[in-house]
Amino acid sequence: MFATQLNFSDEITNQIQANLQACGETFEEFVQQAVAHELQRRKANDLKSFFDGLQPLESFADVDPVAYVDDIRSNSRLIND
């Protein structure tokens, strides 16, 4: 378990307290969920960046991806039967 001290502005503290009263959560639960949510959000962005940065293999550099997939689908026994 990791312990730390956090300092919030009065405005943020008031918003957190109002949220906690409405939800019946503890401050610790709120912070743990907020951190977990942010880590998941960043993970999704990292994955998107990864796929955005992918480049085709040299052997596929001149291949139209839509035409390639359409050709494979047109020869599929599962799709065409």
Side-chain angles (χ1 to χ4, degrees):
M1 197 52 104
F2 176 76
T4 189
Q5 179 180 347
L6 301 172
N7 298 308
F8 296 104
S9 68
D10 290 339
E11 180 183 343
I12 297 293
T13 300
N14 292 337
Q15 290 178 8
I16 292 171
Q17 290 299 333
N19 186 287
L20 293 177
Q21 288 176 351
C23 296
E25 293 178 322
T26 66
F27 180 76
E28 182 178 358
E29 291 170 333
F30 176 78
V31 171
Q32 287 174 346
Q33 289 177 7
V35 169
H37 175 77
E38 181 63 17
L39 290 173
Q40 186 65 32
R41 187 184 69 79
R42 289 184 181 192
K43 182 178 175 182
N45 286 342
D46 289 345
L47 189 57
K48 183 181 180 327
S49 297
F50 171 76
F51 283 110
D52 287 346
L54 287 178
Q55 298 295 321
L57 297 172
E58 286 182 29
S59 59
F60 283 91
D62 296 327
V63 175
D64 176 29
V66 174
Y68 181 79
V69 171
D70 286 344
D71 184 51
I72 291 173
R73 287 179 178 161
S74 70
N75 295 319
S76 171
R77 289 183 295 140
L78 297 175
I79 295 175
N80 295 319
D81 286 344

